[in-house]
Amino acid sequence: QPVLTQPPSASASLGASVTLTCTLNSGYSSYKVDWYQVTPGKGPRFVMRVGTGGVVGAKGDGIPDRFSVSGSGLHRYLTINNLEEEDESDFYCGSDYGSGNNLLGVFGGGTKLTVL
Amino acid sequence: QVQLVQSGAEVKKPGASVKISCKTFGYKFTDNYLFWVRQAPGQGPEWMGLINPDAGVTTSVAKFQGRVTMTRDTSTNTIFMEMRSLRPEDTAVYYCGRVTFDFSSGYIFDYWGQGTLVTVSA
């Protein structure tokens, strides 16, 4: 099954840009990954899906254009431009495998984004 | 507007059971699979299992089989997750979520509940 690895923390200044990274384990370079944003007291919010060709499908509800994704090899990236205070949250990547009743999800350990 | 609303926080003693609810709004309940995930303090989310609300069929990962029961009530568009024989290491935020499938994107976990904190402590 895929294993997703994320650095535990990232930081950038208000108004700047930041790129978060999610790395798949060897052999899973074709896998797409989903990004989720989690703020205290709220459940995970689907941001968007990314493969090696970039975004796959539609963004999650209300996700601003400041959020974009890209992918290369085993790495999947989430870039946030023009950082705002409200962007400070935990970001997780996730993937699915299997299908139908045998569908399973796997998730990275998360990256805590601090907006300075 | 799709919403998943979970029941409130629980505090349980080791060996007890807990039952969490997840009420859905804004779409046809039987059209989408629903899942349960938990997140222990300082860790990433951990998949627990899946329920097909139409047929009531459930699957769960081996770690939780025999200790977790997932059910649904189609009259109230609600799913439930019951965990027995609770241990301190079961302390976590438990989330429900919805699965959407389309042929271009595949499976997307597109909407999640707000989470239910379960604390297991003597």
Side-chain angles (χ1 to χ4, degrees):
Chain A
Q1 69 184 60
V3 175
L4 308 175
T5 303
Q6 300 179 251
S9 64
S11 63
S13 299
L14 198 65
S17 297
V18 67
T19 296
L20 308 181
T21 304
C22 174
T23 302
L24 289 150
N25 53 323
S26 177
Y28 289 88
S29 59
S30 65
Y31 268 61
K32 302 174 183 64
V33 150
D34 300 324
W35 284 98
Y36 302 92
Q37 179 183 29
V38 183
T39 48
K42 296 184 180 181
R45 179 190 190 193
F46 171 72
V47 176
M48 71 185 87
R49 168 164 287 189
V50 56
T52 52
V55 62
V56 178
K59 289 183 178 180
D61 289 348
I63 299 299
D65 291 342
R66 302 183 293 105
F67 287 64
S68 63
V69 294
S70 60
S72 175
L74 294 172
H75 305 293
R76 306 289 180 264
Y77 306 101
L78 172 67
T79 298
I80 310 173
N81 295 316
N82 194 16
L83 276 167
E84 300 181 359
E85 287 184 9
E86 66 181 26
D87 298 329
E88 184 162 290
S89 47
D90 295 329
F91 288 86
Y92 294 88
C93 58
S95 188
D96 64 273
Y97 68 99
S99 62
N101 290 334
N102 295 312
L103 181 68
L104 292 173
V106 291
F107 302 92
T111 296
K112 182 176 183 62
L113 173 63
T114 301
V115 179
L116 304 171
Chain B
Q1 178 189 3
V2 175
Q3 276 190 288
L4 282 67
V5 180
Q6 298 182 223
S7 48
E10 303 265 11
V11 178
K12 297 291 181 180
K13 294 195 181 303
S17 298
V18 69
K19 189 171 184 177
I20 301 168
S21 67
C22 170
K23 187 172 174 62
T24 68
F25 301 87
Y27 74 100
K28 186 179 178 185
F29 179 66
T30 52
D31 277 356
N32 296 70
Y33 286 20
L34 293 157
F35 61 88
W36 290 96
V37 157
R38 74 177 186 181
Q39 186 169 15
Q43 298 184 23
E46 177 183 26
W47 186 268
M48 298 181 68
L50 187 74
I51 182 167
N52 176 339
D54 189 18
V57 174
T58 66
T59 53
S60 58
V61 299
K63 177 177 180 176
F64 298 108
Q65 288 174 4
R67 207 160 66 94
V68 166
T69 300
M70 294 175 284
T71 56
R72 95 297 194 203
D73 181 347
T74 56
S75 68
T76 59
N77 297 339
T78 303
I79 61 169
F80 303 90
M81 190 282 295
E82 181 177 28
M83 181 177 283
R84 300 172 292 280
S85 302
L86 287 167
R87 311 155 187 159
E89 53 265 36
D90 293 318
T91 294
V93 177
Y94 290 74
Y95 294 105
C96 61
R98 188 184 84 156
V99 184
T100 291
F101 176 80
D102 72 61
F103 288 100
S104 61
S105 302
Y107 295 98
I108 301 281
F109 307 144
D110 58 356
Y111 290 94
W112 298 57
Q114 83 276 19
T116 297
L117 175 61
V118 175
T119 303
V120 184
S121 174

